[in-house]
Each structure stands twice: as structure tokens, then as C-alpha cells.
Amino acid sequence: MHGLVLEGGGAKGSYHIGVYKALIEEGIEIKGVAGTSVGALNGAMIVQGDFEKAYDIWHEISYSKIFNTNEDELNRVAAGKLSKEDISYLIDSFRGFFTDKGLDIAPLKNLLIELIDEEKIRNSGKDFGIVTVSLTDLKPLEIYIEDIPSGQVVEYLMASAYLPVFKTERIDGKKYIDGGIYNNLPVNLLKNKGYKDLILVRTHAPGVVRRINSEGLNIITISPKDNLGKVLDFDRETVRHNIKLGYFDALRALRGLKGHHYYIEPIKGENYVINYLLDLDEERIFKLKELFKVDSIPNNRALFEFIIPKVAAILGVEKEADYEDIFIFLLDKLAEIYELERFKIYCYDELLNLVKENLNLEKNNKTSIIDRIIEKVDLLTIFTKGEIIKEVGKIIL
């Protein structure tokens, strides 16, 4: 049985929705969910079997569905266009946290009352745990659905998501705050239930992520390389981008796709790449040696000991990457430079041919980077990484 752990992060939680869409399509059954803050809210919808509703809510999100305040003001705040009055307003909101003032999130609570079906959650047959912190008792609460008093599921979900700038309510006279200040990625809630196969969905939002002993656990981590935006950035375009990103990032993790920015099916393995490089003709290797100023070294040694490591460094590839990783990363970076469509799954040859088309268009330009290299000067001080990467692509590909 698979368990799903959803990291908190406010608006960044849109990423969860794309991930879960991919899990459904890949036929992965989730038997338990644990989440903090927005992870708890999304988790509740998943456990009760209403993912489609959750998807629609996120896809059509607006500030007015979350906050009871002027949407134009919030759009200005999200866009970073803050006046002195805006800044004072935010400061007052933060201060108001201690006096039950702050951003009014009554629309969010009303939305949860409408969407959350407590009986569905309790009768789902799935484990469900959330995290919040009691300010009144000065202690964290990591609780399961069976620990929540009847009729109070929405209240506890809200308690898990109370950011400091939100207007808070009390549950049985006690005041709560966002669980992210204690445990923003509650892996332990499912581990303690006996789950061994876990899927962790990161948002990299502010909050505490506690270490956990992963011995004996089979963990798949789905994590964005892109910035998901700000915690309170409920801009619809940003949210829809994050949903799409979560979907494709999940497919990368689940299917073993390659690529950094793009999603590429693996090629024929490292030996394929090594053989490809060994088959490069002398003219191409000479151009590479000239580009990187590698003189008086035999071709193959120059290629594998100097040129490829230099290319990897320029690309920012991790040191433990193999030749296939470096080759794919080069292709990925060129696709990004030429602004090829990102959100689709490419087979290697398909993306290679698209990149080659763009490289060939530039080859028709009479002046290449090599022609502009000044003798005995490090090319990295003259040309952008993008220019160098394109030139390497023209030669190798």
C-alpha cells in the first residue's frame, strides 16, 4: 500500500494537484495521506475521493475564494507593487495575529464547509493524518482522523493551515497555528501506521522538515526544480502552471524520465553515448579542442578527460552524473535556449531532431563563436553560457 505525504505551502499546494493527477493515471492506489497546512486541505479532498472537485477549485482559483478582502489590493501585493499603506496593512495584519485580527479567510472556511464531507473521510478506509500547533497549550498536535472529535474536521483542517497573518478562530477555546512551524512534511504519521512505500510531494515552502529514519522505507520524492511562487500567490496563471508542473514532475519520477527542465525518455544507456562520442570524426573533435583550448593532447583523451568535464561544469551537472546524464542535460539546455514546448514527454530522437533544426538555422550564420575567440583568453570571460552550449551542440550533435 502506498502512502502520500503532502508538504504545506499555501498557494504552492496547487503542485499537489498535478502530482495526484499523474498518480491516478499511473494506476497508483493511495491508502493513506498525511499533510500539513494546504497539504492537509488537499489531503482531505483526496481521501474523500473528490479529487476532480479539488482540481476544479484550484484551476479556477481566485483571491476572493480565500480572503474576505479587496481582490485588487491582494493582486497588487502579489505583484510586489506595495505602497507604504500596503506595507502598513501587512504589518498590522501580522500584529493582529495576537489579537484575533488579521487576514479574514472566512471564504476559505465556507469553501471547506461546502466541499469537505466528514463522513466520507471517516468511512473511506484510508488513513489520514494532519499537523497543527496549539498555541494555548504550547504543543504540537500530530493527529489522525480518528482522533478528531466528531463534527470538527473542518475546524482542525483550518487549524492546520492558520498562517500568522490569518485571522484565527478557536476550537473548544484553544488557539492554533499552521502546523508547518513544527512539521511541514509529516512522514512519521504514515510511517507510524506501518507504511513502507511512501510518495513525498515537496513544495519547499518555509517551515520545519523533520529528519526521519528512512531505513526500510521505499520513498519516491516528487520535488519541483522551478520556484512555485509565494505562499500567498493565488494568481490563477501561476497556480495553473504549478498544476501542470506537478503532473509532469510526477511522471518524471514515476516513469524514470530524464531531463532537468524537460521530460525525456531515457536513451539507449551510457554505452550508446560513449560509442557516439568515440565515433566523432577528427574535424569535430578539433573544433571542440579549439573551442576549449585543449592543445597537444590525443583526441579521445582530450574529449573524455578535458572537454566533456568542462561541458558538464558549464551545464551545472552534478559530479556523479554519467555520460548519458551529461548528454541529456546538454539536449535539455538547448531545448530551453530555443524555447521548445516544455510540457510534453519527448522521446530522445524527437527532441534531438527539434534541437538540430534550430542549431542548423544558426549554422547558416557565417560568424560562429569559434571565429570570434581571441587567442589565449578564457572563452567563459567573453561569451555567455548559452552561446557556448549552442556551439558545443552544433559540433557534437
Side-chain angles (χ1 to χ4, degrees), residues 52-66:
E52 291 79 9
K53 286 184 181 178
Y55 183 94
D56 289 341
I57 289 295
W58 276 106
H59 197 262
E60 302 301 325
I61 200 72
S62 66
Y63 287 105
S64 61
K65 292 180 179 178
I66 309 297

Side-chain angles (χ1 to χ4, degrees), residues 85-186:
E85 290 76 15
D86 293 325
I87 295 171
S88 296
Y89 171 70
L90 290 178
I91 292 172
D92 288 342
S93 294
F94 186 79
R95 287 173 180 162
F97 162 60
F98 295 101
T99 58
D100 284 339
K101 295 181 180 178
L103 289 172
D104 185 352
I105 53 173
L108 174 60
K109 183 172 183 179
N110 292 334
L111 184 62
L112 291 179
I113 291 171
E114 177 187 341
L115 293 174
I116 298 299
D117 189 324
E118 183 170 329
E119 289 307 307
K120 273 187 177 182
I121 295 174
R122 293 188 184 277
N123 297 324
S124 67
K126 291 179 168 59
D127 294 303
F128 181 46
I130 67 172
V131 183
T132 185
V133 174
S134 171
L135 282 178
T136 304
D137 298 324
L138 295 178
K139 69 176 185 180
L141 274 74
E142 296 183 305
I143 55 178
Y144 301 100
I145 183 65
E146 58 267 27
D147 303 321
I148 298 175
S150 179
Q152 293 190 344
V153 168
V154 169
E155 283 77 8
Y156 274 85
L157 290 174
M158 290 291 291
S160 181
Y162 278 140
L163 292 171
V165 294
F166 290 170
K167 179 180 178 181
T168 59
E169 299 178 16
R170 296 174 186 268
I171 304 175
D172 296 331
K174 295 183 179 182
K175 193 172 184 179
Y176 295 85
I177 191 174
D178 191 292
I181 70 167
Y182 176 73
N183 191 358
N184 213 26
L185 190 70

Side-chain angles (χ1 to χ4, degrees), residues 32 36 46 48 85 109-110 128 135 149 151 180 185 189 208 214 221 223 237 250 259 293 299 332 334 364 387:
T36 300
I46 289 170
Q48 73 181 43
E85 290 76 15
K109 183 172 183 179
N110 292 334
F128 181 46
L135 282 178
L185 190 70
L189 284 177
V208 175
S214 60
T221 300
S223 176
E237 184 177 340
K293 296 196 174 297
N299 284 356
D332 183 291
L334 286 165
N364 294 329
E387 287 179 309

